[in-house]
């Protein structure tokens, strides 16, 4: 449409009033309201229809029942913004569009979401230009969300972590539970009540790691709680992430790639109870086990211990039955052996008696032979000993006579009778003057009598 020039008003410049239409120095001027009115008229004439437009939400906020959006379009690399515009959805429309959108997508409008909007152009003299939203197609957003979700799943599988947490073994005695939830959430209270009042009286140790479970801070808050649990991983058997209650639209954080990676790589089994029966998030997919609700998670943990108790009881009963059967078998075997013992004893006794008789006969015969041989030897020795003894006695008698003669010839008394003497000191014969010292008492034995002397001066050698 061709814009009308201020010179095409059909009024001569000399007739313009002084309220902003008089020219100065031959130049025309108009008020801002008039200019904006011209723009409004031009837009209404050139853009009279509604248009479906694809855009990304840079911002979406609700105020006074109206929804205010900031729309952007990025380049193919997804880095630079190539277009930007404001959009508004008035309360009368928003009250109808919002429930349908959230019911279909399970999400509320938020930054980063791709949307397909039906809009028409509106320019207001006081508020400027804006696109007015008359409808939002949730199937477009749903398709984009599904695409992003499938992209996250594809990334996790390519990284090889999609089933990593499922490969962990949940301890059959798991009763030390780290819970990530909002402290004030009804779901957390339901979980604690269910697990604390279980019908089997099992004792559980539950430690809460508080986290934000809805809104923009959900992803970062849960990851922070996982880090805190990991720092004390040795104190727990598993991690429970429960949400319970809240809008379905708040589940988008659980489709986050970063949060899913943290859950998939966690060193302890992760059990989730964050969604509703028909909703399964990516975090649910990568977790060790997914339950529908917090109370279902509690029931799962109780059932795990109950299963362990049942296996123990079954093993105990099987062991008792096995021992009982074995005892019955052994009693029967002992009974059969007891019945055979008399016959076996009689047979064994007869065998041993026969063996003893045989040994006794052998010993008797051998002893007789040895006695006979010994008697013969003794007789021979007796015959040989008598002559030998006689000869030995004769030889020894002759030798004794010779020794007596020698002893008699060497008797000191005979020497003393012949005029010799013996000098004694302390009862011992003195053979050298070197054995004596001044003042020693000595005794001299003669043929007849004894003389006691004292050495006055030791003789020189």
């Amino acid at each position: 449409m061709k814009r009308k020039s201020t010179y095409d008003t059909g009024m001569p410049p000399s007739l313009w009033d002084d309220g902003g239409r008089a020219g100065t120095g031959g130049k025309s001027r108009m008020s801002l309201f008039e200019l904006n009115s011209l723009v409004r008229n031009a837009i209404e004439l050139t853009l009279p229809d509604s248009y479906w437009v694809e855009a990304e939400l840079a911002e979406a906020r609700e105020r006074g029942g109206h929804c205010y959006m900031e729309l952007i379009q990025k380049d193919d690399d997804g880095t630079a913004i190539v277009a930007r515009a404001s959009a508004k959805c008035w309360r009368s429309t928003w009250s109808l569009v919002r429930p349908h959108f959230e019911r279909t997508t399970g999400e509320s409008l938020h930054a980063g979401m791709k949307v397909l909007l039906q809009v028409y152009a509106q320019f207001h003299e006081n508020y400027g230009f804006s696109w007015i939203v008359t409808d939002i197609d949730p199937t477009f957003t749903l398709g984009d969300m599904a695409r992003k979700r499938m992209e996250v799943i594809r990334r996790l599988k390519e990284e090889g972590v999609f089933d990593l947490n499922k490969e962990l073994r949940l301890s059959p005695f798991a009763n030390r539970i780290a819970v990530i939830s909002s402290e004030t959430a009804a779901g957390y209270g339901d979980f604690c009540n269910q697990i604390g009042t279980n019908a089997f009286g099992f004792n559980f140790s539950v430690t809460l790691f508080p986290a934000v479970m809805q809104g923009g801070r959900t992803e970062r808050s849960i990851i922070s709680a996982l880090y805190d649990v990991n720092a004390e991983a040795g104190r727990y058997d598993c991690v429970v992430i429960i949400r319970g209650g809240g809008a379905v639209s708040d589940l988008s954080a659980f489709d986050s790639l970063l949060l899913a990676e943290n859950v998939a790589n966690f060193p302890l089994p992760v059990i989730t109870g964050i969604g509703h029966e028909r909703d399964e998030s990516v975090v649910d997919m990568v977790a060790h086990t997914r339950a529908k609700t917090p109370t279902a998670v509690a029931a799962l943990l109780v059932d795990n211990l109950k299963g362990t108790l049942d296996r123990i009881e079954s093993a105990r009963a099987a062991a008792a039955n096995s021992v009982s059967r074995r005892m019955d078998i052994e009693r029967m075997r002992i009974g059969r052996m007891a019945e055979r013992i008399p016959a076996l004893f009689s047979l064994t006794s007869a065998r041993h008696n026969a063996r003893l008789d045989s040994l006794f006969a052998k010993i008797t015969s051998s002893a007789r032979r040895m006695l006979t041989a010994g008697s013969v030897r003794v007789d021979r020795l007796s015959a040989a000993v008598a002559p030998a003894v006689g000869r030995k006695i004769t030889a020894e008698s002759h030798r004794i006579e010779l020794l007596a003669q020698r002893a008699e010839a060497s008797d000191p008394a005979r020497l003393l009778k012949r005029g010799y003497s013996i000098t004694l000191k302390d009862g011992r014969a003195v053979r050298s003057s070197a054995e004596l010292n001044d003042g020693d008492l000595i005794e001299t034995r003669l043929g007849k009598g004894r003389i006691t002397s004292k050495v006055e001066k030791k003789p020189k050698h």
Side-chain angles (χ1 to χ4, degrees), residues 1-2 38-49 51 121:
M1 176 180 179
K2 182 179 179 182
L38 287 175
V39 173
R40 176 177 180 175
N41 292 334
I43 289 175
E44 289 177 350
L45 290 173
T46 56
L47 299 173
D49 301 321
Y51 307 92

Side-chain angles (χ1 to χ4, degrees), residues 385-400:
V385 164
V389 169
R391 289 193 296 274
K392 185 67 175 176
I393 290 173
T394 301
E396 291 300 321
S397 296
H398 181 67
R399 191 170 68 84
I400 289 170

Side-chain angles (χ1 to χ4, degrees), residues 399-418:
R399 191 170 68 84
I400 289 170
E401 289 177 358
L402 292 176
L403 290 173
Q405 292 175 4
R406 289 180 184 177
E408 184 180 357
S410 301
D411 186 0
R414 298 185 64 183
L415 293 174
L416 292 175
K417 289 179 180 180
R418 292 170 61 185

Side-chain angles (χ1 to χ4, degrees), residues 320-382:
N321 291 335
S322 177
V323 169
S324 178
R325 287 195 301 271
R326 186 65 182 178
M327 290 180 67
D328 291 339
I329 293 171
E330 291 301 318
R331 275 194 290 266
M332 293 173 62
R333 188 173 67 87
I334 292 171
R336 288 194 298 269
M337 290 178 64
E339 293 173 357
R340 296 175 58 191
I341 283 175
L344 291 172
F345 178 77
S346 177
L347 178 61
T348 303
S349 178
R351 288 177 180 175
H352 280 287
N353 289 336
R355 185 182 180 192
L356 288 173
D357 291 341
S358 175
L359 289 172
F360 181 76
K362 289 180 180 179
I363 291 170
T364 302
S365 176
S366 178
R368 286 174 181 171
R369 287 195 301 272
M370 291 178 67
L371 286 171
T372 302
S375 297
V376 172
R377 185 181 179 194
V378 167
D379 292 341
R380 285 200 303 266
L381 290 174
S382 296

